[in-house]
Amino acid sequence: MNEQPLISIITVNYNGCTHTLDLLKSIQHLSYPNVEVIVIDNCSVESVAPIREQYPSVHLICLDKNLGFAGGNNVGIRTAKGSYFYLVNNDTVLPPNCLEPLLQRAISNPKAGIICPKILYYDNPSIIQFAGYTPIHPVTIRNRGIGYMEKDEGQYSTAYTTALAHGAAMFIPKVVAEKVGLMAELFFLYYEETDYCEHVKRAGFEIWYEPASTILHKESMSVGKESVLKAYYMSRNRLLYLRRNVKWPTFCLSLLYYFFIAVPKNSLVYLLHKQFKHFRAYVKGVWWNCTHYKHIHENPILSKTNSI
């Protein structure tokens, strides 16, 4: 590859220094030579001194407030000097040759707004976590992961457009962020990358799955117990996503489904399992949407001279 534009690798750390150090170690072995690395610490309780001590060339930004997934990444993007941003979870590990295919896809197809690698499980790299997503149903706000939990036998070895990106690894050309803006920070946790994909597509770009590039994700293959925090943000942000992305008259059907099927069903599950804190958090998340109306359609802007 003759062109070697600067790629900004951005990750957000929150009390996950051990994972972040593993990610930074893998970055040291990348075959692509022109990268900068930005770590945004989202006001962690634990010390991030090991990051600064072991990787002094890394641009470490310590925030005095937890801005969430979107907010942390947005700080990184505003700081970045690269022509391309690679947003990766701090609990991922990058193989040496992962950047070249992503960059080549972006250069060869200017309509590629977000490019995702094949995501494999760190503990078992023969199992696929992500090979694309089906579209989200406009009424139920549900979709399906392509290749999820399948053994990787080359069945998803061809690149293709996909409905949505996976938030663990998103390669975004700077020109896309300048046109579309940044991720909406009011989501804080969950649905922010899904919402961003819809904005990217509405701007005329595509979401791509690029299997020539892979990344290893440490997320467990077993589904753990849902936290109270997750119950709140999943209910809050599912409805917020609906409000920002589903238009009339489908929006009416979505609301009917949400309030007369989804909310009663999920509430009943929490109550039957005696998860009363989860139930209260779930209801609180729904109620948030009934009391917040202003600025819910706004995205932060990235201008061509934007920096912090």
Side-chain angles (χ1 to χ4, degrees), residues 73-85:
N73 276 297
N74 287 350
V75 170
I77 290 173
R78 289 192 177 103
T79 305
K81 299 177 182 178
S83 300
Y84 299 89
F85 312 130

Side-chain angles (χ1 to χ4, degrees), residues 114-173:
I114 303 177
I115 308 161
C116 291
K118 180 191 293 182
I119 302 179
L120 305 172
Y121 284 103
Y122 177 83
D123 291 333
N124 189 347
S126 67
I127 302 299
I128 298 171
Q129 182 183 22
F130 170 84
Y133 279 124
T134 61
I136 288 184
H137 193 282
V139 174
T140 64
I141 316 299
R142 299 292 188 188
N143 71 322
R144 180 179 60 85
I146 299 171
Y148 177 67
M149 292 299 291
E150 293 183 23
K151 185 175 178 61
D152 186 9
E153 297 178 334
Q155 68 271 43
Y156 301 107
S157 59
T158 302
Y160 46 74
T161 58
T162 182
L164 299 167
H166 195 295
M170 299 190 295
F171 190 87
I172 306 171

Side-chain angles (χ1 to χ4, degrees), residues 236 239 243 255 258-259 283-293:
R236 172 189 183 270
L239 184 53
R243 295 170 67 193
L255 286 180
Y258 187 79
F259 282 105
V283 173
K284 183 179 178 182
V286 174
W287 182 247
W288 182 94
N289 284 276
C290 300
T291 57
H292 289 75
Y293 302 99

